[in-house]
Amino acid sequence: MLSEEQSLSPLYERVEHAARTIRAHFDEDVRTGVVLGSGLGAFADDLEDSVALPYEEIPGFARPTVEGHAGRLVLGRISGSPVAVLQGRFHFYEGYSRDEVTFPMRVFGLMGIKAVVLTNAAGGINIGFDQGSLMIISDHLNLMCTNPLSGPNDARFGVRFPDMSEVYSREFQEIAVEEAKALGLELRRGVYAAMSGPSYETPAEVRMLRTLGADAVGMSTVPEAIVARQLGIRVLGLSCITNMAAGVVDQPINHEEVMETGAQVRDTFRNLLRRIIPRLSTV
Ligand code: HPA
């Protein structure tokens, strides 16, 4: 619950308050942030010298309502690099507002974070993909029927009309490819379509998305990526293809399957993040 004073103060001040609270718990220069998607939360356990803050202890943070999203910020180090990891995110389909969904990303921005890794579970649309494939996001289609930046713009966050010609840093994509190669891992690359959910897509919608150029579909990531770009944060997007999208294979989709595939790729995913993250703060 926000106190009356907090809910009345402007967004920027609320974000600053959250950033200050976090810094009081972890006094290091954190340059890299990570958002862990459904079923991918285990990576937070790998942090060294870590401090975990449940979202209820961070002023202004909402609470995730979805199974598979723990709801804590873990601060620590990966191979010596300080990192802030959001174990659980907020989605529009939970009923959260634009500002609530993107609040943690704005907090990252005011903490001085310059690079983020956004991870998610997604349905595979590209028929060359398999359940369990990992995909680097090269670009996105925002089909959520809303934009996180609509409404009044506070110029302290960034410009009114941010450029979106390279949302997902090409340099970061190359780092991910190199590190996957070093692990002998095949990474796909493709366009992520964001739908608002929470129902999964129909087979007709999946055919539409394929025609539009999508390789995978999910219900997150894009609002965070847009807000990150407005803040000047560079983004790496990684999708775990937890299932083939509706109609691609003749099989219904359920959240348990999404979680199970996340668990199956857990170690691969962990190893990859562990190699990529220390490099993002050096470029
Ligand atoms: N569609 C949308 N979101 C998803 C899917 C899907 O098939 N799988 C995991 N998240």
Side-chain angles (χ1 to χ4, degrees):
M1 248 334 248
L2 299 182
S3 69
E4 194 179 344
E5 186 200 340
Q6 284 167 20
S7 58
L8 289 176
S9 60
L11 179 64
Y12 192 89
E13 278 67 33
R14 279 188 280 133
V15 173
E16 257 188 334
H17 184 200
R20 264 199 313 276
T21 306
I22 293 164
R23 265 194 238 107
H25 285 88
F26 192 78
D27 186 23
E28 280 196 46
D29 202 12
V30 184
R31 294 286 146 158
T32 310
V34 181
V35 183
L36 297 174
S38 294
L40 303 173
F43 172 73
D45 301 337
D46 291 1
L47 268 55
E48 301 128 27
D49 307 319
S50 65
V51 178
L53 289 176
Y55 289 168
E56 54 265 32
E57 289 178 20
I58 310 174
F61 266 55
R63 319 258 175 282
T65 63
V66 193
E67 194 200 329
H69 287 263
R72 33 181 227 154
L73 171 67
V74 186
L75 301 136
R77 272 190 225 97
I78 283 286
S79 312
S81 290
V83 59
V85 179
L86 290 162
Q87 208 178 20
R89 56 153 61 94
F90 309 110
H91 308 82
F92 284 121
Y93 64 72
E94 294 172 271
Y96 292 121
S97 66
R98 291 185 287 261
D99 288 350
E100 285 171 320
V101 167
T102 56
F103 191 88
M105 193 52 55
R106 289 190 162 128
V107 172
F108 272 1
L110 295 207
M111 284 169 65
I113 282 177
K114 301 286 179 233
V116 286
V117 185
L118 303 179
T119 72
N120 59 51
I125 292 178
N126 185 322
I127 53 166
F129 291 0
D130 302 301
Q131 191 170 11
S133 297
L134 296 180
M135 181 187 94
I136 300 176
I137 304 178
S138 57
D139 204 347
H140 72 226
L141 292 166
N142 179 11
L143 300 171
M144 291 181 137
C145 302
T146 186
N147 187 296
L149 302 179
S150 58
N153 187 54
D154 188 328
R156 289 175 290 179
F157 288 124
V159 295
R160 170 79 286 189
F161 302 110
D163 175 49
M164 292 288 137
S165 44
E166 190 185 326
V167 177
Y168 304 91
S169 159
R170 280 187 212 123
E171 208 171 343
F172 284 5
Q173 290 180 49
E174 289 319 308
I175 289 173
V177 169
E178 282 169 25
E179 294 305 333
K181 209 176 263 174
L183 285 172
L185 190 74
E186 193 187 358
L187 271 193
R188 319 301 174 113
R189 202 189 299 230
V191 173
Y192 175 90
M195 300 284 273
S196 61
S199 53
Y200 290 115
E201 301 69 38
T202 64
E205 286 166 344
V206 170
R207 288 194 298 274
M208 170 191 78
L209 295 173
R210 184 179 297 120
T211 304
L212 294 178
D215 296 287
V217 55
M219 305 174 194
S220 68
T221 303
V222 164
E224 295 153 4
I226 293 173
V227 164
R229 292 310 300 137
Q230 190 200 34
L231 290 157
I233 300 175
R234 298 169 82 194
V235 180
L236 174 68
L238 285 178
S239 293
C240 170
I241 306 299
T242 51
N243 56 280
M244 292 311 284
V248 179
V249 289
D250 190 16
Q251 200 177 296
I253 301 162
N254 60 64
H255 188 59
E256 287 67 42
E257 179 189 19
V258 169
M259 297 295 295
E260 267 167 38
T261 311
Q264 281 160 20
V265 301
R266 187 171 61 198
D267 290 336
T268 312
F269 193 73
R270 262 181 159 157
N271 291 340
L272 184 63
L273 281 182
R274 188 189 268 287
R275 296 184 67 105
I276 292 173
I277 287 168
R279 290 190 59 188
L280 302 185
S281 53
T282 62
V283 293

